[in-house]
Amino acid sequence: MFDKVLIANRGEIALRIQRACREMGIATVAIHSTADEDAMHVRLADESVCIGPPSALDSYLNIPSILAACEITGAEAVHPGYGFLSENARFAEILGEHGITFIGPSPEHIRLMGDKIMAKKTAVDLGLPVVPGSDGAVTDGLEAAKIASDIGYPVLIKAASGGGGRGMQVVRSAEALSTAVLTAQTEARNAFGDDAVYIEKFLGTPRHIEFQIISDGQGGAVHLGERDCSLQRRHQKVWEEALSPALNVEQREKLGNLVAKAMSDLGYLGVGTIEFLYENGEFYFIEMNTRLQVEHPVTELITGLDLVQEQIRIADGARLSYEQSDISFSGHAIECRINAENPKTFTPSPGLIEAYHPPGGLGVRIDSGVYAGYRVPPHYDSLIGKLIVYGRHRTECLMRLRRALDEFVIEGIETTIPLFQQLLKEPDIMNGDYDIHWLEEFLSEA
Ligand code: ADP
């Protein structure tokens, strides 16, 4: 097992990984920008290295600096967390070239799934159902028009290298299509340095349902059930729950076993998430994330597994020590993303946290790196913490979530806590009756 792991991230996820390492007796190295000198992930690490100025490009995305930090501290492995370099195949490759283990999948698999067109082709080959659409990139308006009329409007133009909910455009009529393809290509080139776009049927009322898998690259692979992440704003998840209120046991087992087998066939190593849209009883693959997800704790609460420790063990060459029949799901878990944002306009609200009192008690987990007196820097993502609540069933979970939100005190900055308090008054939310457009509609009516 590794003696020392460098955590190439910041905020709550850096702390989350530190906790896993500490329980395994592994020393931790934090990296940080000059804006994060006072961050909790730096304070609690065994060692820390400043890797650059506030801009993420010069710090958390700065591969030469991170490599130097590994060499100075003698870290044997790097955990990338999520975001930043977590899905950068070249980073994983460079670490390998320097004899440092990347805690994650092989560069080949990161690259394969990072290209959404290749990912979709792979999904088809592995026997997974996909959203109807173009077989590969579309290059001109004529070709696009043919595909769109075959699958029917509305269609969605997506960037092959897109991510984080960006690079998508809905087209509702043939007249608008060729201009939309051109605009999408230009936007994709500017945002992702790759102008490949593809076309998909735009689904009207789907849920976003994703399966967590874990695979040891040596044939062992299991699924850990699904998460329902349908509550989204601008294609970004806001609230996640496990299991989905919409699936039954047979559906779960059927698709879960299919994705686990697909990962075993692929020889995939690590944790991963296979994302689907679900509408009228049918599943459609949209993409795979080859990393730990923000919402992984809801899966941990219903399975009892520590996903970060599993990642570390597998990266160290261990085989899975359990089979699918050893995995069982108990109770219900919901995660709310607490962002430093105005709860109505969603404008970022960085600044000094004057008072901080997190909720506690049975079934309440807080993953956060903030404290009273901490200044939320303006340079990064506005996620400042996650409130994750467990109950024996969904109703208990919802009641506990309401209680926990009422206890939560964060003063000095604005947060999304009031939004979640609002949501818990909605019958649709209480009944689990919502799709990927529900939240946007709710916000536009408010
Ligand atoms: P990203 O990598 O940017 O997160 P995804 O392909 O995972 O992109 O899609 C993000 C979200 O966009 C989905 O959760 C869903 O809300 C919406 N979306 C994606 N594909 C479709 C589709 N074909 N029809 C309707 N909505 C879609």
Side-chain angles (χ1 to χ4, degrees), residues 412-439:
I413 58 166
E414 292 183 296
T415 74
T416 44
I417 292 173
L419 168 69
F420 297 115
Q421 288 172 313
Q422 276 302 113
L423 291 182
L424 284 167
K425 293 185 184 141
E426 292 298 313
D428 286 348
I429 300 296
M430 299 307 280
N431 296 332
D433 186 12
Y434 52 80
D435 61 37
I436 60 165
H437 305 299
W438 189 95
L439 185 60

Side-chain angles (χ1 to χ4, degrees), residues 116 158 163-165 200-201 203 208 232 235 275 287 436:
K116 294 168 99 176
K158 294 171 105 170
E200 233 169 55
K201 171 105 192 122
L203 302 177
H208 172 116
Q232 304 180 351
H235 305 302
E275 299 190 335
E287 68 160 349
I436 60 165

